[in-house]
Amino acid sequence: MALPSSTANWHWKNKDVSPWAKAWVESQLVGVIFQDGKTSAKIDSVITCEGDAEVGMRKSKLLTIYDLRLELKWSGVAAADENAVEGTITLPEVSHEVGADGDGDYQFETTLTTETPAARELYAVTRKHLPAYLKKKLDPLPAEMLAAHGKDLKVEGTPSASGTATPVSGVGPAATVANVAAKMKTTEAKAIKGLNTSTVKVDATFAVSASDLFDLLTEEQKIVMWSRAAAKSTPKVDSEYSIFGGNIFGKYVEIQKPTKIVQTWTLKSPNWPENHGATLTTSLTQGSDSTTIVFELAGVPTGHEDEIRNNLSGYYIRGFQSIGCVLVDVKDFPHSFEPRFIQKEPQPEFQPSIFSSRRLAAFIIVSMLAAVISSRYS
């Protein structure tokens, strides 16, 4: 028997829509930036589009997470000499923080490959028109993502019109995260005896210090930034915490800043046994250029491993990415090595036995030569 929509839509789901988002961006941005008589400028093509885009479901609410970097080719014609002008436009960040959740003031960098007075004049005019053009073209992205892919995650109903990460149910515009967090109540959760469980492990490496990642995981105001929902957290042993609007809650068991966090972990979901407490151990290993973070969740009910693994990656790892934490490949960043700015040339290993033997041999040879010379002249 099929689950009712309220139950089927409750637990976490996510879908990677990066290829679709990149194609949509190209279809929207290529076009005329402005035209004034014989003077005009346009975007010819998208040279590169890097990053990730996801549509997710949490507590029956659809949301979008995206973070893209764009490089565009533009050209134009200056009325003064009617010669073609060319250059590039780089947008280092297209994300919720700038678009749907921000003021739509996309930051951009421009270059000009044609050096004439008329080209310089066109270049300046084009830069003035770019902010409005980019806002008009890019702001609809989250709503379009939901319209195209929301139906793949939601059993019934229509996607949220906002396209932004949906706040906790019942939170109006005037409410604050602090007010919501103050109303949260957590229930003591313990591992259920006789329940078959397993351990799920997820790891990633970020170009971020261990201390900064530790703060993102434990400081209330910083948790809100990447989870996009109300949170309550005081990083002290035996203190309660709750994140994702109270959908995950527990207590801190062990805290070793900035290398380790152990906490009980309970999920509010029809798919999770009521008040069953798992144990989440988070380890952070600092290298010179990066930090490897490992989430190890013990006590996951058997049969839910893949779902929990995907959600740890989708909501923790992707959450960090959404606020600008750069994800790097583990194999490119060894866990420990000397910082680049004090890196030294490798020194030969000191081997006492070899060193002593060589010195002794040299001493014997010198002594023998001295004896020969002495016998000749004695």
Side-chain angles (χ1 to χ4, degrees):
M1 182 177 67
L3 293 172
S5 61
S6 59
T7 301
N9 291 326
W10 188 270
H11 58 279
W12 292 354
K13 302 177 186 176
N14 60 287
K15 177 184 179 182
D16 182 11
V17 297
S18 300
W20 178 93
K22 293 173 183 178
W24 183 91
V25 165
E26 184 167 8
S27 70
Q28 294 298 306
L29 286 180
V30 173
V32 178
I33 301 172
F34 83 95
Q35 184 166 6
D36 183 8
K38 292 184 178 181
T39 301
S40 64
K42 63 179 180 175
I43 293 177
D44 298 308
S45 64
V46 177
I47 301 172
T48 60
C49 179
E50 302 171 341
D52 302 288
E54 284 189 359
V55 174
M57 167 79 73
R58 183 170 70 236
K59 200 179 178 182
S60 300
K61 301 292 185 180
L62 286 168
L63 56 88
T64 58
I65 300 173
Y66 61 96
D67 189 359
L68 305 173
R69 180 187 182 278
L70 309 177
E71 184 178 359
L72 317 172
K73 179 184 177 182
W74 74 276
S75 65
V77 176
D81 57 13
E82 296 186 357
N83 290 323
V85 178
E86 295 183 346
T88 62
I89 303 168
T90 302
L91 284 78
E93 181 182 5
V94 177
S95 67
H96 268 292
E97 285 68 30
V98 180
D101 292 347
D103 56 9
D105 185 14
Y106 295 92
Q107 301 300 309
F108 59 87
E109 302 166 3
T110 54
T111 64
L112 180 64
T113 57
T114 308
E115 289 293 342
T116 65
R120 277 289 168 187
E121 184 178 350
L122 175 62
Y123 176 76
V125 175
T126 301
R127 284 185 58 89
K128 291 181 180 179
H129 283 85
L130 265 178
Y133 181 83
L134 294 174
K135 180 177 177 61
K136 177 183 177 181
K137 295 295 185 178
L138 294 174
D139 276 5
L141 174 58
E144 292 293 329
M145 287 170 64
L146 291 181
H149 301 281
K151 59 183 180 294
D152 296 335
L153 298 180
K154 201 165 187 177
V155 174
E156 290 181 358
T158 56
S160 168
S162 68
T164 62
T166 310
V168 181
S169 178
V171 181
T176 64
V177 169
N179 292 335
V180 177
K183 296 177 182 178
M184 291 180 182
K185 294 182 179 180
T186 58
T187 304
E188 185 71 22
K190 297 181 180 179
I192 298 176
K193 293 182 179 180
L195 180 67
N196 293 326
T197 63
S198 59
T199 299
V200 170
K201 186 176 180 180
V202 172
D203 61 86
T205 300
F206 289 96
V208 181
S209 70
S211 179
D212 286 343
L213 284 176
F214 187 95
D215 290 344
L216 285 174
L217 289 164
T218 56
E219 292 188 9
E220 188 171 299
Q221 297 303 317
K222 293 185 178 180
I223 293 173
V224 172
M225 293 167 56
W226 59 266
S227 69
R228 299 177 179 274
K232 182 178 72 174
S233 175
T234 301
K236 295 181 180 179
V237 174
D238 290 331
S239 67
E240 296 181 344
Y241 77 91
S242 60
I243 59 177
F244 294 110
N247 288 323
I248 293 176
F249 64 90
K251 281 188 175 182
Y252 289 108
V253 177
E254 180 182 349
I255 296 179
Q256 297 180 20
K257 186 175 183 178
T259 59
K260 186 177 182 181
I261 306 166
V262 181
Q263 56 201 131
T264 61
W265 193 94
T266 300
L267 175 65
K268 286 184 180 179
S269 168
N271 294 333
W272 187 272
E274 186 175 2
N275 292 330
H276 167 61
T279 300
L280 177 63
T281 300
T282 306
S283 305
L284 300 104
T285 304
Q286 172 87 54
S288 68
D289 290 15
S290 63
T291 299
T292 296
I293 183 169
V294 179
F295 297 102
E296 189 169 341
L297 185 60
V300 176
T302 302
H304 295 274
E305 294 89 348
D306 289 342
E307 178 186 346
I308 295 301
R309 185 179 295 105
N310 289 337
N311 290 320
L312 286 174
S313 297
Y315 289 91
Y316 284 79
I317 304 302
R318 297 295 189 193
F320 294 159
Q321 285 185 277
S322 73
I323 60 171
C325 296
V326 178
L327 184 66
V328 297
D329 196 334
V330 176
K331 67 183 180 182
D332 293 333
F333 290 86
H335 288 186
S336 61
F337 47 91
E338 285 190 315
R340 291 177 178 174
F341 59 90
I342 61 169
Q343 193 163 357
K344 303 175 182 177
E345 292 296 325
Q347 299 296 320
E349 185 178 357
F350 177 64
Q351 301 181 18
S353 60
I354 296 176
F355 179 81
S356 300
S357 298
R358 289 175 178 172
R359 187 168 63 177
L360 178 60
F363 176 78
I364 292 172
I365 292 171
V366 171
S367 298
M368 291 175 65
L369 289 172
V372 171
I373 294 172
S374 176
S375 64
R376 282 188 176 184
Y377 295 95
S378 59

